[in-house]
Amino acid sequence: MLETLIPVAAPVVFSPTAVRRRSFRRIGALVMVETGAGPMPAYTETLPRVAASVHSARRLVRLALDVWGLEDVQDDAELVVSELLTNAVLHARRNSVRVTAIRLGEGRVRVAVVDLSRDRPTACSAADDQESGRGLDIVATLSGGRWGVQPLPWGKCVWAELGQPDE
């Protein structure tokens, strides 16, 4: 998928709660992404590569899915982006990552995390008593196997698709 970010007229999105409180806090940017099947709306944000960014990534995905009316995949998408971002925090290099939620169709979304490491993530076998090591298995299960890694000249994009494929 060719991902070219095309800014739209209103690049800054505010949470409904922030608007009510008049404390306008930036939550990503709304852009159009060229997917090969035409431009699709996407929410994207660059975040620091720290564990606290997982909350911001989940919030971005939740906002996007609320706007698009895709609440039926919201919990799964939040968990997937949590796992992808946690992998980037633990294993990537540099100080930032980019999180994106792309609407692919009527009931489908792609969540992606771009980091500046070329190392591909690998699934590992976790023992029952281990607290980590199941992230990619969770991603594979929730996405129905529709996930992957797109190498980039400066790093990689790890993505997963959720929802029903268009017919």
Side-chain angles (χ1 to χ4, degrees), residues 136-151:
L136 292 178
D137 288 339
I138 291 170
V139 170
T141 298
L142 294 177
S143 68
R146 294 174 298 165
W147 75 280
V149 180
Q150 177 183 359

Side-chain angles (χ1 to χ4, degrees), residues 99-113:
V99 176
T100 305
I102 306 166
R103 185 172 184 179
L104 296 176
E106 198 61 37
R108 238 169 17 117
V109 66
R110 172 181 282 199
V111 294
V113 173

Side-chain angles (χ1 to χ4, degrees), residues 69-88:
L70 296 175
E71 291 86 2
D72 54 329
V73 296
Q74 190 170 18
D75 291 340
D76 290 349
E78 285 186 55
L79 183 53
V80 165
V81 79
S82 295
E83 296 297 336
L84 296 180
L85 186 54
T86 297
N87 279 348

